[in-house]
Amino acid sequence: VMEVIRPVEGIAAKVNYGFDRVRFLSPVPSGARVRARVRRESAEEKKPGRLSILHTVTVEIEGKDRPAVSAEWLSLWTLEDRA
């Protein structure tokens, strides 16, 4: 089953701020299948029309209990001017 983060309308630009709390938890064997799970954790208005977005990212290895990577992904979204 594929779950998708719902798109947000009215966004003029998205800027990648990078990653925080990156943890490499398990090595990925050559040829292993992986998938990323991304969950939007928060959206906080920093200035009028600008949102700081936090996602958690988990990279899972097929058939393994422990994920390969866990991280927080930060971005800044600028809303369209509605004037």
Side-chain angles (χ1 to χ4, degrees):
V1 176
M2 182 175 184
E3 297 177 30
V4 178
I5 295 177
R6 293 188 181 137
V8 178
E9 294 185 20
I11 304 297
K14 295 179 183 179
V15 177
N16 178 13
Y17 260 28
F19 289 88
D20 267 348
R21 300 183 186 192
V22 178
R23 302 291 181 263
F24 296 96
L25 304 169
S26 297
V28 178
S30 178
R33 292 171 41 115
V34 297
R35 72 172 170 200
R37 290 188 181 259
V38 180
R39 189 167 92 187
R40 188 175 300 135
E41 296 293 339
S42 65
E44 180 181 340
E45 189 170 34
K46 290 296 186 181
K47 294 182 181 178
R50 292 194 175 189
L51 300 174
S52 174
I53 308 296
L54 171 66
H55 291 94
T56 56
V57 180
T58 305
V59 178
E60 300 173 341
I61 307 166
E62 187 175 60
K64 302 288 183 181
D65 293 332
R66 192 168 181 177
V69 177
S70 176
E72 292 181 349
W73 182 14
L74 307 169
S75 59
L76 179 68
W77 295 5
T78 302
L79 303 176
E80 293 176 347
D81 186 13
R82 304 254 174 154

